[in-house]
Amino acid sequence: MLKWLRQASVAVAVTIAVCVISSPQLVLAKSGVLSPADLERPSELPAAVTEQSGKLLLSDSPEMVPDDGIMYQDTVSGDIRLFFHHVNATMEPKKIVVLLVNDTTEAADVIVSRHGLGGPDVDYLAVGKIAQMEYLNQEEVELIHVPANGTAHLVSVLRDTVVLPNELVNGIYDFRTKIPLKVVVMMLPVEAEAAEFAATAAVLPADSQRLRGTFHGSDRLIVPSKVYNSKKDGIIAITLADHKRDMYVSGIDATDGSETLNYGNYGVVYKVFLPTAFEQKYAVYLNPRGGEYAGGIKVKYRHQHENTIGTPADKLFFGTKTVTDAAHLGNYEGGQSLWLTFSPPGASNLPVKIILAPAGKTE
């Protein structure tokens, strides 16, 4: 019965995640309106990349968790983002939880400002898309009290959630704490109590990808160095998370002190501003370049109209064995403020391109 309810809830969430979001300000179209030739090698729009403050904790190694133990932990304070992405790779039901451990003599109040959670489920692309869509849409603030010399769950729903073999859990949590807290991401037996388990649990070895660590600069600001003019510039692109134009963030694996690189910039949130010429309508697309992709993107137009759009909006994923799929994010009036909020979704492949094109390409 519990498994049926879990699968039913995921099915409903997937339906929400892939629905087409529309408004009077956004004229949406199906993916792939541009021709394949348009997307093969678009010119690049030069842009300045600025890393902004905040710490990112990434827990994605071992991604396929082979045994009970701690996948990642670090003691942090201030503004924190945690991105965790783990599969129960054992043959038994487990729990995957995030424990906040307060080793000080002063109680801590943790403010969770934004979060998204996907899974547990065996459809990994759906789990990643659900987590990202929820993160981009969610604005409720939550307060978590962590007593002195005590513990609390960051994700309360995971305290009693059973993760079956081969199921994925993916979470993105933004929170603030003045008191230093140890953040512990771990997998444990279903019947185990988290605080008791954490006190003696060993840190699991990283897998070959080594996608775990603590990174400075959880947000990035992307601002083109020139104004886009659809009539003069035609089809042009901004590439994100390719480690060429947009470098991967580097950090330290706090479990062993080694240097690490966040391949794909998972957990990094991008704010992309698009300056455009007046009196020139234009269209915006997201174009995956690394393979299968299932995510979402938030669009803020004229400082007030906000929409979160599934990428793609009309199905779960796209980008399989092609670099010419594109999700249409809307047609816009030039010279008006347009901001995009983007983050690499769990289980999806990078890089991506933000494509700007004359609006006539979609009409």
Side-chain angles (χ1 to χ4, degrees):
M1 183 64 167
L2 289 176
K3 182 178 180 181
W4 181 88
L5 289 172
R6 181 166 56 248
Q7 290 174 336
S9 64
V10 169
V12 171
V14 170
T15 301
I16 295 171
V18 303
C19 70
V20 178
I21 303 172
S22 61
S23 78
Q25 291 76 35
L26 300 180
V27 183
L28 297 181
K30 292 182 179 180
S31 303
V33 175
L34 295 176
S35 72
D38 291 330
L39 294 168
E40 284 289 352
R41 290 190 179 90
S43 300
E44 194 75 17
L45 181 63
V49 180
T50 304
E51 288 191 359
Q52 298 184 309
S53 60
K55 287 183 180 178
L56 168 65
L57 272 60
L58 174 65
S59 184
D60 192 11
S61 181
E63 181 180 32
M64 310 297 293
V65 186
D67 202 354
D68 297 330
I70 295 169
M71 288 83 86
Y72 191 64
Q73 64 180 6
D74 194 7
T75 300
V76 292
S77 61
D79 291 318
I80 310 298
R81 177 175 301 126
L82 170 66
F83 183 101
F84 61 96
H85 185 273
H86 295 287
V87 173
N88 174 8
T90 75
M91 300 298 290
E92 301 174 353
K94 297 290 182 180
K95 293 191 294 188
I96 293 176
V97 305
V98 181
L99 195 67
L100 302 176
V101 180
N102 184 358
D103 289 326
T104 76
T105 57
E106 184 177 354
D109 288 322
V110 176
I111 300 173
V112 180
S113 56
R114 187 177 293 272
H115 74 268
L117 180 66
D121 198 75
V122 295
D123 190 334
Y124 300 164
L125 287 170
V127 170
K129 188 168 190 173
I130 290 165
Q132 187 172 79
M133 293 289 283
E134 182 177 300
Y135 175 84
L136 292 172
N137 279 317
Q138 198 275 340
E139 295 181 352
E140 294 182 2
V141 175
E142 179 185 0
L143 181 65
I144 300 174
H145 182 77
V146 190
N149 296 307
T151 65
H153 283 263
L154 177 63
V155 190
S156 59
V157 70
L158 292 180
R159 182 203 311 259
D160 299 312
T161 297
V162 175
V163 182
L164 299 179
N166 299 314
E167 288 188 330
L168 167 69
V169 178
N170 179 207
I172 315 162
Y173 279 72
D174 289 356
F175 63 94
R176 169 188 280 266
T177 173
K178 293 182 179 179
I179 304 299
L181 296 174
K182 182 187 293 184
V183 181
V184 186
V185 183
M186 56 189 180
M187 189 169 79
L188 62 162
V190 170
E191 68 279 3
E193 198 281 321
E196 294 179 359
F197 180 84
T200 58
V203 175
L204 298 172
D207 57 28
S208 60
Q209 301 301 313
R210 299 187 65 245
L211 274 175
R212 71 183 186 192
T214 302
F215 306 85
H216 292 278
S218 57
D219 297 320
R220 285 191 175 179
L221 177 64
I222 309 292
V223 180
S225 55
K226 60 171 284 188
V227 173
Y228 171 69
N229 185 309
S230 61
K231 184 175 290 186
K232 294 180 180 179
D233 298 326
I235 299 169
I236 204 164
I238 301 171
T239 302
L240 302 178
D242 68 337
H243 203 45
K244 295 178 182 177
R245 298 175 180 87
D246 176 36
M247 303 302 290
Y248 298 150
V249 63
S250 60
I252 298 296
D253 182 341
T255 66
D256 61 11
S258 63
E259 294 182 358
T260 185
L261 192 65
N262 182 351
Y263 292 92
N265 279 348
Y266 293 100
V268 175
V269 173
Y270 292 76
K271 299 285 188 179
V272 183
F273 177 66
L274 299 176
T276 54
F278 281 97
E279 300 180 357
Q280 300 293 333
K281 290 185 178 181
Y282 66 102
V284 184
Y285 300 83
L286 184 131
N287 167 225
R289 309 291 289 194
E292 292 181 345
Y293 185 95
I297 196 164
K298 177 169 278 191
V299 178
K300 187 172 185 179
Y301 183 46
R302 290 177 172 168
H303 303 290
Q304 54 185 334
H305 305 298
E306 285 192 343
N307 285 274
T308 302
I309 302 170
T311 48
D314 56 350
K315 53 189 174 183
L316 175 59
F317 66 93
F318 64 161
T320 306
K321 297 182 180 179
T322 181
V323 296
T324 59
D325 280 351
H328 185 212
L329 306 180
N331 294 349
Y332 302 94
E333 298 285 344
Q336 303 297 322
S337 172
L338 182 65
W339 286 88
L340 306 178
T341 302
F342 163 83
S343 189
S348 286
N349 298 288
L350 284 298
V352 301
K353 289 183 183 288
I354 303 296
I355 303 287
L356 306 181
K361 280 284 182 180
T362 67
E363 297 172 348

